Amino acid sequence: TIPAAIASKILFDVSLADCDWLHGSAESLLTITNLVTVVAFRQALNAKDKGELDPISAQSYAPMTWLVVGLTALAGVTAVVPALADPTTHTPYLSGFMDLPKDAVTWGHPEPENALTVATWIIHWSSLVEFLVAMGFAWRWADLVQNPKWKGITWGLLPLHSSGITACTYHLFYNQIPLLVPLQAFLTCIGNTTAAYAAYRLAVSNGWEPPENISAFFPSTDASTKTDSKTTTTTEESPSLIGFEDLGDALAGDTDYTFLLKLFGGCAVASYAFKYGELLFDFPFDANLLLGLSIVFVPSLLNAFKWYKRSQDPSFEGWF
């Protein structure tokens, strides 16, 4: 996304969010990263459930590697092809092939030039959902391997998910609330830090120690930071569907392919609803800062509260 943002500024003097063909191509790489994480986690959980020693992705790296290479190449094509066709600032991502014909949209406000295409909205929605699913998988994995440090990964990812909500809120208001841009960057920085620290604690709990030449940069790894799996107890969580983070459990019987089809299908429905439904309202065109911040922080606080409640009571079933 950083090279794409630089290109959009140099070539068109706009932010990446206002250049849909570059925006969609760049953000698709984030979706690919999240997708691979979710698929690998899902395979690991399925292997545990079946009593298998290793998941498919651990038996051979080739399938996951080719999946990453293929999807990344596809994302590259979506940027290179329009780049060779002399694009304009608002050339739509994938030529807007999923968008409704403009003449067919006869309701509400006229759509601004910088509105996201349906395909770009799907990328954003799928990234948010994939993050929640991965957080749910990490939480469940903590119980399966009896290492609570895995739940730290879920907590560490919270600011990054809030960063994604901020980006979607920015686009909901047609990129008219400038303060949301540095807020997203701040949340991303915080999230990268908390996720890295959670990963460090997890590594130490599994016996990892930093090399001597850099050990001074890490806290001491005494026995108190390590997890004894024999003394760790867990409580069975409710199997019901509570939120998007439980989508992985609800679709556990699906293959990886049908799981992804259902995930992207749901995100497509949400994308059409957002893109064309918001035209019926005035607020997306008013750029109200307080409303924008509320859309970011209310779901984020509810998400954090949900994980807190689950850490206290694994059977907790919230409506959010």
Side-chain angles (χ1 to χ4, degrees), residues 30-317:
L30 174 61
T31 297
I32 291 170
T33 303
N34 295 342
L35 183 150
V36 170
T37 302
V38 165
V39 170
F41 237 137
R42 188 172 187 272
Q43 291 177 354
L45 285 165
N46 287 341
K48 277 285 185 183
D49 289 339
K50 296 175 182 176
E52 298 173 356
L53 185 61
D54 291 312
I56 297 172
S57 54
Q59 295 173 17
S60 172
Y61 293 138
M64 196 64 72
T65 300
W66 283 113
L67 175 64
V68 173
V69 169
L71 291 175
T72 303
L74 182 62
V77 169
T78 64
V80 171
V81 171
L84 296 175
D86 194 24
T88 63
T89 303
H90 300 297
T91 294
Y93 177 58
L94 299 180
S95 300
F97 82 101
M98 297 183 72
D99 291 2
L100 298 178
K102 291 188 179 297
D103 294 342
V105 183
T106 58
W107 57 85
H109 295 269
E111 195 171 46
E113 258 191 325
N114 66 343
L116 269 59
T117 54
V118 169
T120 305
W121 265 121
I122 290 175
I123 287 171
H124 282 73
W125 270 106
S126 63
S127 292
L128 284 181
V129 174
E130 287 162 0
F131 245 100
L132 284 174
V133 172
M135 291 161 73
F137 280 164
W139 199 269
R140 184 180 166 204
W141 187 258
D143 292 336
L144 285 175
V145 300
Q146 297 200 351
N147 184 350
K149 293 296 190 294
W150 274 102
K151 293 184 178 180
I153 297 292
T154 299
W155 286 107
L157 293 176
L158 276 172
L160 288 173
H161 186 256
S162 296
S163 172
I165 295 175
T166 306
C168 289
T169 304
Y170 184 58
H171 303 321
L172 177 67
F173 288 92
Y174 300 106
N175 311 335
Q176 298 179 92
I177 306 180
L179 183 64
L180 295 181
V181 176
L183 175 61
Q184 185 197 3
F186 174 75
L187 289 170
T188 300
C189 180
I190 295 297
N192 289 341
T193 304
T194 54
Y197 181 63
Y200 163 76
R201 293 176 70 244
L202 176 61
V204 170
S205 75
N206 287 323
W208 178 84
E209 294 184 2
E212 289 186 10
N213 59 333
I214 61 170
S215 60
F217 295 98
F218 292 88
S220 62
T221 56
D222 55 28
S224 63
T225 63
K226 299 181 180 179
T227 299
D228 184 356
S229 61
K230 294 181 181 179
T231 61
T232 303
T233 58
T234 59
T235 305
E236 185 71 21
E237 295 202 15
S238 170
S240 62
L241 181 65
I242 302 170
F244 283 114
E245 69 281 352
D246 300 297
L247 193 61
D249 290 345
L251 301 179
D254 289 60
T255 66
D256 289 338
Y257 299 105
T258 57
F259 171 79
L260 292 175
L261 282 174
K262 289 179 180 180
L263 187 150
F264 279 97
C267 291
V269 171
S271 298
Y272 277 104
F274 259 71
K275 177 175 173 64
Y276 297 109
E278 67 172 322
L279 298 176
L280 297 170
F281 302 93
D282 294 329
F283 75 86
F285 301 87
D286 294 338
N288 186 297
L289 176 60
L290 290 179
L291 179 59
L293 293 175
S294 298
I295 294 174
V296 172
F297 286 110
V298 170
S300 296
L301 291 173
L302 287 173
N303 194 21
F305 179 71
K306 173 174 54 186
W307 293 115
Y308 167 74
K309 290 291 290 183
R310 285 192 180 183
S311 66
Q312 303 297 311
D313 177 12
S315 64
F316 171 73
E317 294 187 15

